[in-house]
Amino acid sequence: MADAYQIQSNGGDSQSKPLLELYVKASGIDARRIGADLFCQEFWMELYALYEIGVARVEVKTVNVNSEAFKKNFLGAQPPIMIEEEKELTYTDNREIEGRIFHLAKEFNVPLFEKDPSAEKRIENLYRNFKLFLRAKVEFDKGKKEPSRVEDLPAQIKVHYNRVCEQLSNIDQLLSERKTRYLLGNSMTEYDCELMPRLHHIRIIGLSLLGFDIPHNFTHLWNYILTAYRTAAFIESCPADQDIIHHYKEQLNLFTNQRETLQSPTKTHTIPEKVLSDIRVKGLAPDVNVH
């Protein structure tokens, strides 16, 4: 029913630490691979933060939601699902999962859920606005061999594009002002667990389906994306490009040919060379990979 990604204990008395099992949606191409559900990755990253400092033992398991075994065991619940065996508790609601992780973080003084209204305002609705742009542009491009250029789009679609770019610019400005690795400082918080996967999806889907890329002049935002690509919690939980693309094609009812499903999985965790050069000029991150 499930393939497990076990995060080993971080030393100490491992049996005294709670064992948290997170069930995440498997890839629609290969059930042994991680799927592209954003909430699954978000909770995985938060749990990884608890594991890294030795607060909890964590096992992440991919599940095929269409399998009879999964349906029988979880009675219609959908991933993400978290089980805490010692307490015989199963969390099937996102708020319940977040609440349990929150209480563990608070109990052990892990600054994972620090509140910051400014950061919260900058990132809220970014993904919603991207989805509006995605659906509108895919519909407009239906039947075309190549995605339309942004400048050729009608005004009612451009407004979604402009909102996305405006929010990306606001996040870039925030990062420029704070000069920190993550949104709130030099440690990852819930805001990063939310934003990093969504930025990655925007990048992968923008390039593959929309002919759109995150503007290259947002240097601090790109440096933040680079930080994601160097963060263990993100690397461990990140699905392959092919699985992200397949996930959105399913949502949009777009045709996926067999060749795409047979490709070896790859993960884009590098950034454009021109962007890297700008980052180096500003002294933000001198030693990184490019493509």
Side-chain angles (χ1 to χ4, degrees):
M1 182 187 74
D3 277 4
Y5 296 76
Q6 184 166 359
I7 300 175
Q8 299 297 328
S9 171
N10 220 12
D13 182 6
S14 63
Q15 296 308 312
S16 66
K17 302 170 186 175
L19 172 60
L20 303 173
E21 296 178 343
L22 181 68
Y23 289 80
V24 301
K25 190 174 182 180
S27 158
I29 297 174
D30 185 339
R32 297 168 298 179
R33 299 205 308 249
I34 307 162
D37 183 276
L38 283 164
F39 288 110
C40 289
Q41 185 174 6
E42 187 175 334
F43 291 140
W44 188 341
M45 289 181 68
E46 290 177 1
L47 287 172
Y48 198 98
L50 298 183
Y51 145 75
E52 278 192 309
I53 62 166
V55 168
R57 293 173 292 146
V58 178
E59 288 185 9
V60 181
K61 300 179 179 181
T62 59
V63 288
N64 179 357
V65 296
N66 296 315
S67 72
E68 290 304 317
F70 174 78
K71 292 175 183 177
K72 180 180 178 181
N73 283 327
F74 292 103
L75 303 175
Q78 291 293 307
I81 298 166
M82 190 171 77
I83 294 177
E84 189 171 359
E85 288 196 356
E86 291 93 335
K87 296 188 176 184
E88 297 184 344
L89 291 174
T90 298
Y91 308 89
T92 58
D93 182 88
N94 285 356
R95 288 168 296 182
E96 293 176 348
I97 298 172
E98 188 91 281
R100 180 56 181 139
I101 298 172
F102 171 84
H103 286 298
L104 273 171
K106 186 175 181 181
E107 180 182 351
F108 291 96
N109 297 313
V110 184
L112 188 58
F113 291 93
E114 299 290 317
K115 288 301 175 186
D116 188 310
S118 179
E120 194 165 329
K121 184 177 181 181
R122 303 285 180 110
I123 69 176
E124 68 180 357
N125 295 324
L126 170 64
Y127 184 66
R128 177 181 177 274
N129 287 330
F130 174 73
K131 288 293 289 288
L132 290 171
F133 172 52
L134 172 65
R135 290 186 181 279
K137 191 171 187 301
V138 165
E139 183 63 28
F140 180 77
D141 285 342
K142 192 173 288 184
K144 298 185 171 108
K145 291 183 177 180
E146 297 291 336
S148 302
R149 299 183 306 168
V150 170
E151 50 266 36
D152 296 331
L153 295 174
Q156 64 267 31
I157 299 179
K158 271 188 183 176
V159 70
H160 298 309
Y161 167 80
N162 290 335
R163 283 174 183 162
V164 171
C165 288
E166 182 180 355
Q167 280 195 270
L168 292 173
S169 176
N170 287 338
I171 297 168
D172 178 71
Q173 182 63 34
L174 179 70
L175 291 163
S176 173
E177 292 167 359
R178 294 188 170 181
K179 296 178 173 60
T180 53
R181 291 186 67 214
Y182 299 99
L183 284 173
L184 270 57
N186 291 319
S187 297
M188 187 179 73
T189 67
E190 61 169 328
Y191 297 118
D192 303 298
C193 297
E194 176 183 342
L195 181 60
M196 285 177 167
R198 285 161 177 79
L199 284 174
H200 187 62
H201 281 218
I202 289 171
R203 186 184 178 201
I204 298 301
I205 296 306
L207 289 171
S208 62
L209 299 183
L210 300 177
F212 160 82
D213 197 4
I214 294 171
H216 287 187
N217 60 311
F218 295 163
T219 312
H220 289 84
L221 180 60
W222 274 102
N223 189 54
Y224 177 79
I225 293 170
L226 191 59
T227 296
Y229 296 162
R230 290 172 148 187
T231 298
F234 178 87
I235 296 167
E236 284 285 328
S237 60
C238 184
D241 297 353
Q242 290 81 357
D243 295 316
I244 295 173
I245 294 166
H246 183 80
H247 176 78
Y248 284 86
K249 282 191 169 184
E250 279 192 327
Q251 289 186 347
L252 297 164
N253 294 316
L254 296 177
F255 174 72
T256 301
N257 62 47
Q258 190 177 19
R259 181 181 58 81
E260 292 175 322
T261 64
L262 294 175
Q263 288 178 344
S264 297
T266 56
K267 296 185 181 184
T268 299
H269 286 173
T270 53
I271 64 171
E273 189 170 357
K274 174 62 170 69
V275 176
L276 174 63
S277 177
D278 292 340
I279 287 172
R280 282 177 168 159
V281 166
K282 293 186 177 183
L284 300 176
D287 298 312
V288 290
N289 295 324
V290 298
H291 68 68

